[in-house]
């Protein structure tokens, strides 16, 4: 393994531990906040006043900083798949802290993630040597990557503007799809910023280039969007489901974006590429196993009292005939007695 890849590997491991823990801490904070106001999934922002949520946010920031530095030293096709370790951390912690039981098959899923990640690490390509942010800009403005960027933004806008208001509360793929697609653009811009900072610290100032600030603006915009919809996903669905699906989609889109922009697989042998793909499929299989062992989220307090169907009342009219009224009907006619359905059993 190359020394730069080793550094990236260690940082990615640290990042996964912090990010996996942050999922659990933030979810506990979201639960506390939802007890005192609207949930994040319906547009509530009470979690911003919850200290525990901020602890989770700080933990995630530390993990993202480690992840940020990892992208400087290693290619995205190595760093991103190692995020599977965060799934293991979050699944184990959810079992003990959130009482979201981890089944035996879930443990098997964790092992598959570890095996797949190991295979990816052993066959990862070497990081390219880039000497200026202008070189990165040339890669980002290739026709192929511009087409990917335009497609990603278009799909994300459709999910945000059309599908999110209608299906976000019932279909987990909506919120996570937004996070994953936007996340692939975040990684590309963050990697560019990281390389620019590294070169600047080495004595070659990259802050004088407009491209550096463009990458920074893109990264901030994408990160804010990701956090918003990730909060919605965590507040709406089970953590043991959100984590693996988010990982699978985010990693897939990031590897695709990195392969297009940085040409990570250029110069690699067919066997190495095949080994990486097998490792990635193994990791995806592990996340699928974890997903299959999920337990349904318990209903909220409002769900426990929500009517399953419209209420029906029976009335005895003055002529002795029965008249049935549904809840959505207008005012009942004059009556003598209201009888519940159990009366006729």
């Amino acid at each position: 393994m190359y020394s730069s890849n080793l550094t990236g590997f260690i940082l990615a491991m640290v990042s996964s531990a912090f990010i996996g823990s942050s999922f659990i801490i933030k979810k506990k904070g979201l639960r506390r906040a939802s007890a005192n106001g609207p949930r994040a999934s319906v547009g509530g922002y009470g979690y911003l006043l919850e200290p525990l949520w901020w602890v989770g946010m700080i933990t995630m920031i530390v993990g993202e900083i480690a992840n940020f530095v990892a992208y400087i030293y290693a290619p995205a096709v190595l760093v991103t798949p190692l995020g599977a370790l965060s799934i293991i951390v979050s699944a184990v912690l959810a079992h003990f802290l959130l009482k979201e039981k981890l089944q035996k098959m879930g443990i098997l899923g964790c092992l598959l993630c570890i095996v797949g990640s190991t295979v990816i690490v052993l066959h990862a390509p070497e990081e390219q040597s880039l000497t200026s942010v202008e070189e990165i800009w040339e890669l980002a403005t290739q026709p192929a990557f511009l087409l990917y960027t335009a497609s990603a933004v278009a799909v994300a806008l459709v999910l945000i503007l059309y599908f999110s208001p209608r299906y976000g509360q019932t279909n987990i793929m909506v919120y996570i799809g937004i996070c994953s697609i936007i996340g692939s653009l975040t990684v590309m811009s963050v990697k560019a910023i990281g390389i620019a900072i590294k070169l600047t610290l080495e004595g070659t100032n990259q802050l004088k280039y407009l491209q550096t600030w463009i990458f920074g603006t893109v990264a901030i915009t994408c990160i804010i969007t990701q956090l918003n919809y990730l909060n919605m996903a965590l507040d709406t669905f089970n953590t043991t489901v959100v984590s693996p699906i988010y990982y699978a989609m985010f990693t897939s889109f990031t590897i695709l974006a990195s392969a297009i922009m940085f040409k990570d697989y250029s110069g690699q042998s067919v066997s190495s590429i095949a080994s990486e793909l097998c490792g990635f499929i193994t990791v995806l299989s592990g996340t699928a196993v974890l997903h299959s062992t999920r337990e349904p989220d318990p209903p909220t307090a409002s769900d426990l009292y929500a009517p399953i169907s419209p209420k029906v009342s029976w009335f005895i009219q003055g002529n002795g005939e029965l008249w049935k009224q549904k809840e959505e009907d207008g005012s009942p006619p004059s009556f003598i007695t209201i009888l519940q359905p159990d009366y006729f059993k």
Side-chain angles (χ1 to χ4, degrees):
M1 183 184 295
Y2 304 101
S3 59
S4 62
N5 279 12
L6 177 59
T7 302
F9 168 73
I10 294 174
L11 289 168
M13 294 271 290
V14 173
S15 170
S16 295
F18 276 92
I19 292 176
S21 302
S22 74
F23 273 104
I24 308 306
I25 300 173
K26 287 173 65 180
K27 177 128 190 180
K28 288 183 73 69
L30 288 170
R31 285 184 175 180
R32 287 187 183 180
S34 64
N36 301 314
R39 302 176 63 182
S41 57
V42 294
Y45 292 95
Y47 61 85
L48 295 176
L49 302 177
E50 176 56 52
L52 189 59
W53 184 86
W54 282 106
V55 172
M57 177 58 67
I58 293 172
T59 304
M60 174 173 277
I61 291 173
V62 172
E64 292 295 351
I65 291 174
N67 201 45
F68 172 81
V69 180
Y71 279 115
I72 299 176
Y73 292 97
V77 295
L78 167 62
V79 176
T80 307
L82 288 177
L85 301 177
S86 68
I87 300 175
I88 298 174
V89 173
S90 63
V92 172
L93 291 180
H95 175 78
F96 292 104
L97 301 180
L98 299 181
K99 307 305 178 183
E100 297 176 359
K101 189 174 182 180
L102 180 63
Q103 308 289 347
K104 291 182 179 179
M105 289 299 293
I107 298 175
L108 174 61
C110 292
L111 293 176
L112 287 173
C113 289
I114 294 174
V115 172
S117 298
T118 302
V119 173
I120 292 173
V121 169
L122 293 176
H123 296 87
E126 185 179 6
E127 172 70 349
Q128 293 185 34
S129 178
L130 298 170
T131 59
S132 73
V133 74
E134 291 181 316
E135 288 185 28
I136 306 174
W137 183 258
E138 290 179 2
L139 296 174
T141 53
Q142 299 172 91
F145 189 72
L146 288 177
L147 177 61
Y148 173 83
T149 302
S151 301
V153 171
V155 172
L157 287 175
V158 170
L159 289 174
I160 292 172
L161 299 177
Y162 181 81
F163 287 95
S164 180
R166 294 169 175 82
Y167 309 109
Q169 296 291 305
T170 57
N171 193 326
I172 193 173
M173 303 303 289
V174 176
Y175 292 151
I176 295 183
I178 296 170
C179 294
S180 303
I181 294 171
I182 296 299
S184 66
L185 300 180
T186 302
V187 171
M188 298 303 103
S189 56
V190 163
K191 186 173 179 65
I193 296 169
I195 294 174
I197 293 176
K198 178 185 176 183
L199 293 173
T200 299
L201 294 176
E202 291 176 350
T204 306
N205 185 17
Q206 301 296 308
L207 300 179
K208 62 182 180 180
Y209 296 112
L210 176 62
Q211 292 91 330
T212 302
W213 300 102
I214 294 176
F215 283 127
T217 302
V218 172
I220 293 173
T221 303
C222 292
I223 289 172
I224 292 174
T225 303
Q226 276 183 268
L227 288 177
N228 183 48
Y229 285 95
L230 181 58
N231 280 330
M232 290 184 174
L234 285 171
D235 195 41
T236 307
F237 304 100
N238 192 299
T239 306
T240 55
V241 181
V242 172
S243 297
I245 295 179
Y246 177 52
Y247 164 79
M249 293 186 65
F250 172 69
T251 304
S252 299
F253 281 112
T254 300
I255 289 177
L256 176 60
S258 183
I260 294 173
M261 180 172 172
F262 291 101
K263 299 180 175 61
D264 291 319
Y265 295 107
S266 178
Q268 275 201 296
S269 64
V270 175
S271 61
S272 294
I273 295 175
S275 297
E276 288 180 59
L277 291 177
C278 289
F280 182 52
I281 291 173
T282 302
V283 173
L284 290 181
S285 300
T287 61
V289 171
L290 277 172
H291 175 42
S292 66
T293 61
R294 67 160 295 195
E295 291 185 345
D297 281 334
T300 60
S302 59
D303 294 335
L304 293 175
Y305 300 100
I308 298 176
S309 59
K311 184 175 68 178
V312 177
S313 299
W314 293 84
F315 302 93
I316 298 180
Q317 303 187 70
N319 57 8
E321 296 180 354
L322 288 176
W323 180 80
K324 181 174 72 173
Q325 180 204 25
K326 288 188 177 181
E327 189 177 43
E328 62 266 20
D329 292 339
S331 301
S334 58
F335 58 88
I336 299 175
T337 308
I338 298 178
L339 300 177
Q340 298 300 326
D342 290 341
Y343 179 85
F344 301 98
K345 292 181 179 179

